[in-house]
């Protein structure tokens, strides 16, 4: 058993040539039986969608090169340690999370295929989708803009709300 990042893990130590390799394992309560997991929901995919997905995976497939990736966390930590040992006072800054982007997966898939030069399969689909979008735009009407929107934006910027003046309020103001 070892503790990493404040959590206890079960590990197996195995020999690998002249070295020892530590592999993290799972406790029995962390293993979910396959029957409980279930499969992917049934999806109606066309042959074009399957072919496009296969084409994307094949275009992105390459040999793994571990030197291509760097441990940025370790580099930042080592820099922090060096600055601290040099006598610099370190003040932790609060981290703020940026909101996550919501992606249109189909558009991302198409863009990726176009970047990889395999856009031929997408040409007929794109023209069909553009024609459908134009039809939708022509048939949908924009909702009329309410006149009260200008009042709301004006009151939002001043922080004051416009209240109806009642006769009692008018008397108080005049007094």
């Amino acid at each position: 058993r070892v503790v990493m990042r404040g959590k206890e893990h079960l590990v197996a130590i195995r020999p690998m040539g002249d070295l020892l390799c530590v592999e993290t394992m799972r406790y029995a309560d962390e293993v979910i039986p396959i029957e409980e997991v279930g499969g992917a929901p049934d999806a109606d995919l066309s042959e074009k969608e399957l072919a496009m997905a296969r084409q994307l995976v094949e275009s992105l497939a390459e040999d793994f090169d571990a030197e291509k990736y760097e441990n940025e966390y370790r580099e930042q930590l080592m820099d922090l340690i060096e600055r601290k040992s040099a006598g610099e006072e370190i003040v932790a800054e609060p981290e703020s999370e940026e909101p996550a982007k919501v992606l249109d997966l189909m558009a991302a898939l198409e863009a990726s295929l176009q970047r990889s030069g395999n856009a031929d399969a997408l040409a007929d689909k794109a023209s069909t989708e553009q024609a459908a979008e134009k039809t939708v735009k022509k048939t949908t009407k924009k909702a009329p803009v309410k006149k009260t929107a200008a009042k709301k934006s004006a009151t939002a910027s001043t922080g004051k709300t416009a209240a109806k003046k009642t006769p009692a309020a008018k008397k108080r103001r005049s007094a």
Side-chain angles (χ1 to χ4, degrees):
R1 294 181 200 171
V2 297
V3 176
M4 291 188 296
R5 297 184 184 99
K7 182 181 177 198
E8 184 177 305
H9 295 271
L10 186 63
V11 297
I13 300 175
R14 297 184 178 170
M16 289 185 71
D18 294 340
L19 304 173
L20 292 177
C21 177
V22 176
E23 295 182 24
T24 57
M25 302 172 67
R26 305 259 181 224
Y27 287 104
D29 64 335
E30 295 176 328
V31 178
I32 301 172
I34 192 73
E35 296 83 26
E36 291 180 25
V37 174
D42 292 334
D44 295 329
L45 300 174
S46 69
E47 275 302 313
K48 282 185 177 181
E49 290 172 325
L50 287 173
M52 190 172 20
R54 285 188 192 105
Q55 190 177 16
L56 174 65
V57 170
E58 289 170 4
S59 70
L60 296 175
E62 61 183 36
D63 291 334
F64 178 74
D65 180 15
E67 292 179 12
K68 183 177 174 182
Y69 303 95
E70 296 180 11
N71 187 344
E72 293 175 6
Y73 174 78
R74 184 177 190 283
E75 290 174 7
Q76 291 172 355
L77 183 61
M78 294 306 291
D79 179 53
L80 182 72
I81 291 170
E82 288 174 14
R83 290 187 349 219
K84 182 76 172 178
S85 66
E88 184 178 331
E89 186 175 330
I90 307 296
V91 178
E93 297 176 10
E95 291 186 26
S96 61
E97 291 185 28
E98 295 181 21
K101 287 184 179 178
V102 178
L103 299 176
D104 178 9
L105 292 178
M106 197 63 172
L109 178 63
E110 290 172 355
S112 178
L113 283 175
Q114 287 175 350
R115 281 192 306 270
S116 68
N118 298 322
D120 297 336
L122 300 173
D124 60 355
K125 184 176 182 201
S127 62
T128 305
E129 288 178 357
Q130 288 174 353
E133 287 177 16
K134 287 180 182 177
T135 306
V136 170
K137 287 180 181 177
K138 287 180 182 176
T139 57
T140 57
K141 294 181 181 179
K142 292 184 179 179
V145 178
K146 295 182 181 180
K147 292 181 181 178
T148 57
K151 287 183 181 177
K152 287 181 182 178
S153 64
T155 58
S157 63
T158 61
K160 298 179 182 177
T161 57
K164 293 182 180 179
K165 295 182 181 177
T166 61
K170 288 180 184 177
K171 288 180 185 178
R172 277 185 264 152
R173 288 191 179 201
S174 62

PDB file of all heavy atoms in Angstrom, residues 149-164:
ATOM      1  N   ALA A 149     -36.957  46.485 -22.825  1.00  0.00           N
ATOM      2  CA  ALA A 149     -35.562  46.057 -22.711  1.00  0.00           C
ATOM      3  C   ALA A 149     -34.644  47.253 -22.506  1.00  0.00           C
ATOM      4  O   ALA A 149     -33.675  47.190 -21.754  1.00  0.00           O
ATOM      5  CB  ALA A 149     -35.143  45.285 -23.952  1.00  0.00           C
ATOM      6  N   ALA A 150     -34.949  48.382 -23.161  1.00  0.00           N
ATOM      7  CA  ALA A 150     -34.112  49.576 -22.991  1.00  0.00           C
ATOM      8  C   ALA A 150     -34.217  50.099 -21.570  1.00  0.00           C
ATOM      9  O   ALA A 150     -33.227  50.528 -20.973  1.00  0.00           O
ATOM     10  CB  ALA A 150     -34.540  50.655 -23.981  1.00  0.00           C
ATOM     11  N   LYS A 151     -35.419  50.064 -21.005  1.00  0.00           N
ATOM     12  CA  LYS A 151     -35.593  50.522 -19.628  1.00  0.00           C
ATOM     13  C   LYS A 151     -34.816  49.621 -18.666  1.00  0.00           C
ATOM     14  O   LYS A 151     -34.192  50.093 -17.744  1.00  0.00           O
ATOM     15  CB  LYS A 151     -37.074  50.519 -19.237  1.00  0.00           C
ATOM     16  CG  LYS A 151     -37.868  51.634 -19.871  1.00  0.00           C
ATOM     17  CD  LYS A 151     -39.290  51.592 -19.370  1.00  0.00           C
ATOM     18  CE  LYS A 151     -40.146  52.669 -19.991  1.00  0.00           C
ATOM     19  NZ  LYS A 151     -41.533  52.587 -19.553  1.00  0.00           N
ATOM     20  N   LYS A 152     -34.875  48.300 -18.910  1.00  0.00           N
ATOM     21  CA  LYS A 152     -34.179  47.364 -18.025  1.00  0.00           C
ATOM     22  C   LYS A 152     -32.680  47.590 -18.068  1.00  0.00           C
ATOM     23  O   LYS A 152     -32.015  47.556 -17.052  1.00  0.00           O
ATOM     24  CB  LYS A 152     -34.495  45.916 -18.411  1.00  0.00           C
ATOM     25  CG  LYS A 152     -35.894  45.501 -18.044  1.00  0.00           C
ATOM     26  CD  LYS A 152     -36.142  44.061 -18.425  1.00  0.00           C
ATOM     27  CE  LYS A 152     -37.564  43.652 -18.091  1.00  0.00           C
ATOM     28  NZ  LYS A 152     -37.852  42.285 -18.493  1.00  0.00           N
ATOM     29  N   SER A 153     -32.135  47.817 -19.266  1.00  0.00           N
ATOM     30  CA  SER A 153     -30.685  48.017 -19.344  1.00  0.00           C
ATOM     31  C   SER A 153     -30.290  49.338 -18.700  1.00  0.00           C
ATOM     32  O   SER A 153     -29.231  49.451 -18.108  1.00  0.00           O
ATOM     33  CB  SER A 153     -30.209  47.956 -20.792  1.00  0.00           C
ATOM     34  OG  SER A 153     -30.780  49.026 -21.525  1.00  0.00           O
ATOM     35  N   ALA A 154     -31.135  50.349 -18.797  1.00  0.00           N
ATOM     36  CA  ALA A 154     -30.826  51.638 -18.174  1.00  0.00           C
ATOM     37  C   ALA A 154     -30.847  51.523 -16.661  1.00  0.00           C
ATOM     38  O   ALA A 154     -29.989  52.060 -15.968  1.00  0.00           O
ATOM     39  CB  ALA A 154     -31.818  52.704 -18.637  1.00  0.00           C
ATOM     40  N   THR A 155     -31.808  50.792 -16.129  1.00  0.00           N
ATOM     41  CA  THR A 155     -31.874  50.646 -14.673  1.00  0.00           C
ATOM     42  C   THR A 155     -30.780  49.729 -14.169  1.00  0.00           C
ATOM     43  O   THR A 155     -30.308  49.889 -13.061  1.00  0.00           O
ATOM     44  CB  THR A 155     -33.248  50.103 -14.226  1.00  0.00           C
ATOM     45  OG1 THR A 155     -33.472  48.859 -14.868  1.00  0.00           O
ATOM     46  CG2 THR A 155     -34.350  51.096 -14.529  1.00  0.00           C
ATOM     47  N   ALA A 156     -30.367  48.762 -14.985  1.00  0.00           N
ATOM     48  CA  ALA A 156     -29.292  47.860 -14.552  1.00  0.00           C
ATOM     49  C   ALA A 156     -27.988  48.623 -14.413  1.00  0.00           C
ATOM     50  O   ALA A 156     -27.194  48.350 -13.523  1.00  0.00           O
ATOM     51  CB  ALA A 156     -29.131  46.714 -15.549  1.00  0.00           C
ATOM     52  N   SER A 157     -27.747  49.594 -15.296  1.00  0.00           N
ATOM     53  CA  SER A 157     -26.483  50.321 -15.216  1.00  0.00           C
ATOM     54  C   SER A 157     -26.464  51.301 -14.052  1.00  0.00           C
ATOM     55  O   SER A 157     -25.428  51.583 -13.485  1.00  0.00           O
ATOM     56  CB  SER A 157     -26.220  51.059 -16.536  1.00  0.00           C
ATOM     57  OG  SER A 157     -27.236  52.033 -16.738  1.00  0.00           O
ATOM     58  N   THR A 158     -27.611  51.849 -13.662  1.00  0.00           N
ATOM     59  CA  THR A 158     -27.642  52.790 -12.544  1.00  0.00           C
ATOM     60  C   THR A 158     -27.848  52.090 -11.220  1.00  0.00           C
ATOM     61  O   THR A 158     -27.552  52.632 -10.175  1.00  0.00           O
ATOM     62  CB  THR A 158     -28.769  53.830 -12.721  1.00  0.00           C
ATOM     63  OG1 THR A 158     -30.025  53.142 -12.760  1.00  0.00           O
ATOM     64  CG2 THR A 158     -28.559  54.652 -13.970  1.00  0.00           C
ATOM     65  N   GLY A 159     -28.377  50.872 -11.278  1.00  0.00           N
ATOM     66  CA  GLY A 159     -28.623  50.145 -10.042  1.00  0.00           C
ATOM     67  C   GLY A 159     -29.934  50.543  -9.386  1.00  0.00           C
ATOM     68  O   GLY A 159     -30.300  50.055  -8.342  1.00  0.00           O
ATOM     69  N   LYS A 160     -30.682  51.450  -9.986  1.00  0.00           N
ATOM     70  CA  LYS A 160     -31.960  51.873  -9.420  1.00  0.00           C
ATOM     71  C   LYS A 160     -33.071  51.294 -10.261  1.00  0.00           C
ATOM     72  O   LYS A 160     -32.958  51.147 -11.467  1.00  0.00           O
ATOM     73  CB  LYS A 160     -32.064  53.405  -9.424  1.00  0.00           C
ATOM     74  CG  LYS A 160     -31.003  54.064  -8.573  1.00  0.00           C
ATOM     75  CD  LYS A 160     -31.154  55.551  -8.632  1.00  0.00           C
ATOM     76  CE  LYS A 160     -30.070  56.252  -7.818  1.00  0.00           C
ATOM     77  NZ  LYS A 160     -30.159  57.687  -7.914  1.00  0.00           N
ATOM     78  N   THR A 161     -34.155  50.980  -9.626  1.00  0.00           N
ATOM     79  CA  THR A 161     -35.295  50.460 -10.356  1.00  0.00           C
ATOM     80  C   THR A 161     -36.358  51.538 -10.432  1.00  0.00           C
ATOM     81  O   THR A 161     -36.528  52.343  -9.512  1.00  0.00           O
ATOM     82  CB  THR A 161     -35.884  49.214  -9.674  1.00  0.00           C
ATOM     83  OG1 THR A 161     -36.232  49.551  -8.338  1.00  0.00           O
ATOM     84  CG2 THR A 161     -34.878  48.075  -9.667  1.00  0.00           C
ATOM     85  N   ALA A 162     -37.058  51.522 -11.532  1.00  0.00           N
ATOM     86  CA  ALA A 162     -38.131  52.501 -11.697  1.00  0.00           C
ATOM     87  C   ALA A 162     -39.374  51.937 -11.041  1.00  0.00           C
ATOM     88  O   ALA A 162     -39.878  50.903 -11.446  1.00  0.00           O
ATOM     89  CB  ALA A 162     -38.376  52.756 -13.181  1.00  0.00           C
ATOM     90  N   ALA A 163     -39.864  52.565 -10.010  1.00  0.00           N
ATOM     91  CA  ALA A 163     -41.048  52.112  -9.299  1.00  0.00           C
ATOM     92  C   ALA A 163     -42.209  53.015  -9.656  1.00  0.00           C
ATOM     93  O   ALA A 163     -42.030  54.198  -9.937  1.00  0.00           O
ATOM     94  CB  ALA A 163     -40.808  52.142  -7.793  1.00  0.00           C
ATOM     95  N   LYS A 164     -43.405  52.432  -9.651  1.00  0.00           N
ATOM     96  CA  LYS A 164     -44.589  53.242  -9.912  1.00  0.00           C
ATOM     97  C   LYS A 164     -44.836  54.140  -8.706  1.00  0.00           C
ATOM     98  O   LYS A 164     -44.731  53.705  -7.568  1.00  0.00           O
ATOM     99  CB  LYS A 164     -45.804  52.337 -10.142  1.00  0.00           C
ATOM    100  CG  LYS A 164     -45.686  51.531 -11.410  1.00  0.00           C
ATOM    101  CD  LYS A 164     -46.924  50.697 -11.596  1.00  0.00           C
ATOM    102  CE  LYS A 164     -46.824  49.881 -12.862  1.00  0.00           C
ATOM    103  NZ  LYS A 164     -48.001  49.055 -13.054  1.00  0.00           N
TER     104      LYS A 164
END
